[in-house]
Amino acid sequence: MPPPADIVKVAIEWPGAYPKLMEIDQKKPLSAIIKEVCDGWSLANHELFALQHADSSNFYITEKNRNEIKNGTILRLTTSPAQNAQQLHERIQSSSMDSKLEALKDLASLSRDVTFAQEFINLDGIFLLTQMVESGTERYQKLQKIMKPCFGDMLSFTLTAFVELMDHGIVSWDTFSVAFIKKIASFVNKSGMDTSILQRSLAILESMVLNSHDLYQKVAQEITIGQLIPHLQGTDQEIQTYTIAVINALFLKAPDERRQAGVDSSVDILDCPLTEMANILAQKQLRSIILTHVIRAQRAINNEMAHQLYVLQVLTFNLLEDRMMTKMDPQDQAQRDIIFELRRIAFDAEPEPNASSGSMEKRKSMYTRDYKKLGFINHVNPAMDFTQTPPGMLALDNMLYFAKQHQDAYIRIVLENSSREDKHECPFGRSSIELTKMLCEILKVGELPSETCNDFHPMFFTHDRSFEEFFCICIQLLNKTWKEMRATSEDFNKVMQVVKEQVMRALTTKPSSLDQFKSKLQNLSYTEILKIRQSERMNQEDFQSRPILELKEKIQPEILELIKQQRLNRLVEGTCFRKLNSRRRQDKFWYCRLSPNHKVLHYGDLEESPQGEVPHDSLQDKLPVADIKAVVTGKDCPHMKEKGALKQNKEVLELAFSILYDSNCQLNFIAPDKHEYCIWTDGLNALLGKDMLSDLTRNDLDTLLSMEIKLRLLDLENIQIPDAPPPIPKEPSNYDFVYDCN
């Protein structure tokens, strides 16, 4: 007979004594269980004790998390969180430097536990830590000179404890003084600072900016590009990552008017406050430093760095949103002058003096003719073409940039199309407007960065006006594709679809420069796109004849079983998941894998991302598959309902899933990418005996079915398969050909 569900068998340790094997009744109050354990070792004052996990996490057991205790868990009897917090609060104020250092080291470790953190914060522990950081007393200055390594460790542990305590979200960031901000900023601005101190200082500044508008303004006054550049030029990728994270945070929180500020060449970038984000990112120096020392450095870019570069790329392109959503005012003369300039460059028309009403009519007629040649939809008033948002004024900006910076190509495109009489002319104006809109969609201009995406493109860091150059390459591609397709105005949407496919296929190769992107497009001519489409159609050919459909129906269960086994095998290998919070912390990982017999899920926290598979015995927690009640995804996940900040992020929602078990328990996941999401949701559904419904399963099923059918039909190559089975022949007149073999 199986033991009751509320009884959990555990081992409990106590220093200097043999561990005890014990059955815990989850219906009993936790205080009664602790009293029972203390009585077993003759320990008085049970209220001063608590239970905690004996693994590397050392997390306290509370009424809230006690349901996480599983059979076979090893626990430790220890002093209560309140008692421990009180002792550490006193020890970190010790006059003995060795005692203080040891206490701060313990505090940095224990602060990861929210139960301990709450108790320490209740003692004004955060205030005490900030006072220690701010302290500029003679004793600290002497300590820094005489015992520099000791001071460095002490400060490092102090900042680590501060970061861990603040990560729990118990204390508001708005409570900190200017003196504290200045002190943290001084650690960043000072050269030769210890790596761990610099790392935590940058992390604190990032959190300050992201969590408080007032602190954003104060931090922005303390940090300049000149002080951050040396950290980008170093060789430590983690420091570079934290540095770019600070830039991203300041960029994200900058007021719109500062973010959109134009480039002022008189401003020295090294002394420029980070609030003037548009100025900074338009400057060649910062971009080239990131390109040289980060992107093109002789080392692989890790996931966190890739994410920060992706965020920087998105925020940079989001500067275009204002122009993208601005309609052209047909009455604004300055805006109309841009259209006049496009006409002048194309047709080399000299400004004409004011003339009589007769010549005025003639001039209007000439303008209308020229605007038609430029490919505008509204020939009389082309300003009306730019009243749709998106792309709004951004399209006109791109056209002017192309006309001025690539004048020969611009004139060639306009003149060669305006001189055609065979209805195959490519309308430059209309094409530019639709192309700008398409490029904004591809680059997701105006959308917030995803919490999980790492998809940055190195080529966008190689030019100060990368979006405009991107447009210039693509408009020439569009004109080339139009000619290759021998398109007319009726084929406009078809041409745009082909161009989008060409651009998307070239981007997936992650070209390292705009020139490389251009050469990739050269190889993706319309003829090549047709070949690729034909090849893909053949590979995924959907035979519709009845015999083939019947064969598919017969084979499909075998293929689905094959896919199911592959999914379960991947679950047995396991996956490393990242724990997301307000700041993307690099040390928050956990691993989950299925046991080889498919009966138990093993999971547990990790200190760092693993290089390979994590053994079952190193994962502390277990969840029997039989206990799983349901698997939910997206908005139905408990952790998506709780985290309002993540709810708005569509990409995170698309990667979220949860396992529901027992009464109110759940195991929450955010997959590293869409592929892993499909693998895990398919695998879990397969374990529960449900259908695998992911896009990946559909694609795998189509591919494998197509391959299997083609293999089975190899012998029938060039033979016409009839739609109906052949008729059954008439019975023979006699059966003399049948022989009895007995």
Side-chain angles (χ1 to χ4, degrees):
M1 182 176 175
D6 294 319
I7 302 298
V8 183
K9 295 181 178 181
V10 300
I12 301 178
E13 299 176 342
W14 171 251
Y18 287 109
K20 278 189 174 185
L21 295 177
M22 184 172 176
E23 290 187 352
I24 290 179
D25 186 349
Q26 293 284 39
K27 290 181 179 177
K28 276 189 180 181
L30 190 58
S31 56
I33 295 170
I34 293 171
K35 184 178 187 307
E36 186 181 337
V37 174
C38 289
D39 291 346
W41 274 310
S42 303
L43 298 171
N45 301 322
H46 72 275
E47 64 275 3
L48 300 179
F49 293 91
L51 292 172
Q52 67 179 178
H53 288 282
D55 56 26
S56 57
S57 70
N58 293 328
F59 286 170
Y60 282 99
I61 305 298
T62 64
E63 291 291 354
K64 286 184 179 179
N65 65 21
R66 63 184 295 177
N67 287 329
E68 295 176 8
I69 302 174
K70 305 298 177 188
N71 283 317
T73 302
I74 302 175
L75 304 178
R76 182 188 298 119
L77 185 67
T78 184
T79 50
S80 68
Q83 185 79 358
N84 218 344
Q86 183 64 50
Q87 291 172 358
L88 279 173
H89 193 272
E90 294 169 2
R91 285 170 58 202
I92 62 176
Q93 299 179 74
S94 168
S95 57
S96 166
M97 290 301 109
D98 289 339
S99 299
K100 179 177 284 200
L101 182 63
E102 197 61 34
L104 286 168
K105 184 178 180 181
D106 292 343
L107 179 63
S109 173
L110 285 168
S111 295
R112 291 181 300 163
D113 184 359
V114 66
T115 311
F116 170 84
Q118 183 68 70
E119 296 292 344
F120 189 77
I121 288 168
N122 290 343
L123 298 171
D124 274 342
I126 292 280
F127 177 74
L128 177 60
L129 292 179
T130 56
Q131 288 293 100
M132 292 171 65
V133 173
E134 288 177 28
S135 176
T137 59
E138 187 178 338
R139 185 179 65 168
Y140 263 75
Q141 289 171 353
K142 285 180 180 177
L143 180 63
Q144 187 174 5
K145 291 176 183 176
I146 300 168
M147 303 173 65
K148 191 173 181 181
C150 179
F151 174 79
D153 290 342
M154 192 177 294
L155 184 56
S156 174
F157 290 135
T158 304
L159 294 177
T160 302
F162 176 84
V163 169
E164 296 289 356
L165 290 168
M166 291 304 298
D167 263 358
H168 297 299
I170 299 169
V171 179
S172 169
W173 283 92
D174 288 311
T175 57
F176 299 108
S177 66
V178 175
F180 180 69
I181 297 167
K182 286 180 178 289
K183 198 70 179 178
I184 296 296
S186 72
F187 299 146
V188 173
N189 296 338
K190 194 179 294 182
S191 61
M193 182 56 71
D194 181 78
T195 301
S196 60
I197 296 172
L198 179 58
Q199 212 176 76
R200 280 134 184 95
S201 299
L202 288 166
I204 291 169
L205 291 178
E206 182 196 0
S207 291
M208 284 179 173
V209 172
L210 291 175
N211 291 287
S212 168
H213 178 69
D214 289 340
L215 290 187
Y216 153 73
Q217 293 178 322
K218 291 168 184 173
V219 170
Q221 291 169 2
E222 298 297 326
I223 302 293
T224 67
I225 282 291
Q227 289 143 350
L228 288 178
I229 279 179
H231 304 319
L232 291 173
Q233 291 174 319
T235 56
D236 190 316
Q237 191 169 113
E238 285 199 15
I239 296 296
Q240 291 176 326
T241 304
Y242 278 105
T243 303
I244 296 177
V246 171
I247 293 173
N248 286 339
L250 285 155
F251 191 3
L252 191 62
K253 295 298 179 180
D256 288 342
E257 65 273 10
R258 287 181 171 178
R259 224 184 295 166
Q260 295 289 350
V263 178
D264 182 357
S265 58
S266 64
V267 176
D268 185 350
I269 184 174
L270 297 180
D271 298 323
C272 180
L274 277 168
T275 48
E276 305 294 342
M277 292 311 303
N279 287 1
I280 293 164
L281 293 170
Q283 298 289 337
K284 185 176 180 180
Q285 190 173 8
L286 180 64
R287 177 193 59 73
S288 63
I289 285 169
I290 291 174
L291 181 66
T292 305
H293 296 278
V294 178
I295 296 173
R296 291 181 176 171
Q298 298 300 313
R299 61 174 179 271
I301 292 177
N302 62 34
N303 287 339
E304 184 66 20
M305 173 60 85
H307 172 74
Q308 294 300 341
L309 290 171
Y310 152 78
V311 172
L312 183 58
Q313 173 184 294
V314 170
L315 294 176
T316 305
F317 285 138
N318 281 357
L319 291 173
L320 304 168
E321 184 183 11
D322 183 59
R323 295 294 282 173
M324 181 181 77
M325 300 308 293
T326 300
K327 294 181 180 181
M328 185 169 184
D329 180 2
Q331 306 306 317
D332 188 319
Q333 188 57 44
Q335 294 179 2
R336 290 166 63 88
D337 286 345
I338 299 175
I339 298 176
F340 292 150
E341 181 67 5
L342 288 173
R343 175 187 169 275
R344 186 196 66 77
I345 295 173
F347 305 112
D348 199 25
E350 295 295 332
E352 297 180 16
N354 292 333
S356 62
S357 59
S359 62
M360 199 70 149
E361 290 297 322
K362 185 179 179 183
R363 191 186 315 162
K364 281 184 181 177
S365 173
M366 180 179 66
Y367 282 177
T368 300
R369 187 185 70 242
D370 288 349
Y371 291 147
K372 183 179 180 181
K373 289 180 179 180
L374 279 169
F376 290 113
I377 297 173
N378 192 318
H379 308 149
V380 178
N381 186 6
M384 300 303 295
D385 287 13
F386 300 97
T387 54
Q388 180 189 356
T389 58
M393 287 296 292
L394 184 60
L396 189 57
D397 294 342
N398 282 340
M399 292 167 72
L400 184 63
Y401 181 89
F402 181 51
K404 287 190 169 183
Q405 302 301 321
H406 301 269
Q407 197 170 109
D408 291 345
Y410 167 71
I411 293 171
R412 176 177 53 77
I413 288 175
V414 172
L415 293 184
E416 93 179 4
N417 285 293
S418 63
S419 61
R420 298 187 72 153
E421 297 294 338
D422 55 2
K423 296 184 179 180
H424 290 287
E425 66 276 3
C426 176
F428 173 74
R430 182 185 175 191
S431 299
S432 297
I433 292 168
E434 289 301 317
L435 179 64
T436 301
K437 182 179 178 181
M438 185 185 82
L439 297 182
C440 288
E441 289 172 358
I442 290 173
L443 298 177
K444 299 180 180 178
V445 174
E447 293 186 21
L448 285 173
S450 161
E451 291 279 354
T452 57
C453 187
N454 301 331
D455 188 25
F456 80 97
H457 294 277
M459 74 177 193
F460 291 128
F461 291 85
T462 62
H463 201 283
D464 301 327
R465 305 287 293 274
S466 58
F467 183 80
E468 289 87 342
E469 289 293 325
F470 186 43
F471 168 84
C472 293
I473 293 169
C474 292
I475 192 65
Q476 293 177 75
L477 167 72
L478 192 152
N479 185 65
K480 173 174 170 281
T481 303
W482 186 284
K483 289 190 290 185
E484 290 172 348
M485 293 177 67
R486 292 192 55 76
T488 63
S489 56
E490 288 80 13
D491 302 317
F492 187 85
N493 290 334
K494 291 181 183 177
V495 176
M496 293 305 297
Q497 288 172 3
V498 172
V499 170
K500 184 173 185 178
E501 186 173 346
Q502 290 170 314
V503 172
M504 293 292 285
R505 287 185 182 278
L507 284 177
T508 54
T509 64
K510 292 291 180 74
S512 59
S513 67
L514 290 164
D515 286 338
Q516 198 175 93
F517 174 68
K518 196 185 295 184
S519 67
K520 296 281 183 188
L521 291 176
Q522 290 292 332
N523 297 328
L524 285 170
S525 63
Y526 176 58
T527 307
E528 187 62 27
I529 290 293
L530 288 179
K531 287 180 182 176
I532 293 171
R533 286 179 175 180
Q534 179 67 19
S535 173
E536 289 177 352
R537 264 198 301 270
M538 289 177 65
N539 290 337
Q540 298 176 355
E541 194 169 6
D542 189 15
F543 301 106
Q544 295 300 322
S545 64
R546 190 172 141 199
I548 300 299
L549 291 175
E550 289 178 0
L551 181 58
K552 270 188 174 183
E553 202 173 313
K554 184 179 177 182
I555 296 172
Q556 187 162 316
E558 300 174 26
I559 302 296
L560 281 172
E561 182 61 29
L562 184 65
I563 294 172
K564 175 183 172 182
Q565 290 305 318
Q566 188 272 339
R567 301 293 192 262
L568 294 176
N569 289 340
R570 281 287 291 106
L571 264 60
V572 170
E573 291 175 15
T575 301
C576 178
F577 297 93
R578 185 186 293 274
K579 289 187 176 181
L580 292 181
N581 55 14
S582 58
R583 295 186 305 103
R584 283 175 56 106
R585 293 291 304 281
Q586 291 178 276
D587 53 349
K588 302 287 184 179
F589 297 99
W590 69 288
Y591 199 89
C592 187
R593 63 180 299 179
L594 181 66
S595 62
N597 63 5
H598 300 174
K599 291 186 177 180
V600 179
L601 282 172
H602 298 263
Y603 62 96
D605 292 338
L606 301 175
E607 293 298 324
E608 58 185 4
S609 181
Q611 298 303 313
E613 288 184 24
V614 176
H616 295 101
D617 52 11
S618 65
L619 300 173
Q620 311 92 349
D621 302 304
K622 298 178 184 178
L623 172 60
V625 172
D627 290 352
I628 298 176
K629 306 296 182 192
V631 176
V632 293
T633 60
K635 292 181 180 178
D636 296 327
C637 296
H639 58 317
M640 290 294 101
K641 292 175 182 175
E642 293 168 5
K643 299 195 175 185
L646 294 180
K647 276 174 71 178
Q648 64 183 354
N649 197 311
K650 192 173 78 172
E651 290 194 43
V652 172
L653 281 174
E654 289 175 351
L655 298 176
F657 62 98
S658 298
I659 296 174
L660 306 183
Y661 62 97
D662 291 346
S663 53
N664 292 312
C665 299
Q666 68 267 339
L667 195 58
N668 298 320
F669 299 76
I670 295 178
D673 51 49
K674 191 68 178 175
H675 183 268
E676 286 296 320
Y677 169 85
C678 293
I679 290 288
W680 274 86
T681 52
D682 282 344
L684 292 170
N685 281 325
L687 285 173
L688 299 178
K690 297 181 180 179
D691 292 336
M692 300 179 291
L693 302 173
S694 73
D695 294 338
L696 184 63
T697 292
R698 282 196 293 273
N699 292 337
D700 287 351
L701 182 61
D702 289 344
T703 303
L704 293 172
L705 266 178
S706 176
M707 289 173 63
E708 183 65 21
I709 286 171
K710 286 177 182 177
L711 284 171
R712 295 195 182 199
L713 297 180
L714 277 177
D715 291 338
L716 299 178
E717 194 172 355
N718 298 323
I719 296 176
Q720 184 68 35
I721 299 173
D723 290 334
I728 299 173
K730 293 178 181 179
E731 288 191 19
S733 55
N734 61 69
Y735 291 88
D736 294 343
F737 56 86
V738 177
Y739 297 95
D740 188 354
C741 297
N742 294 329

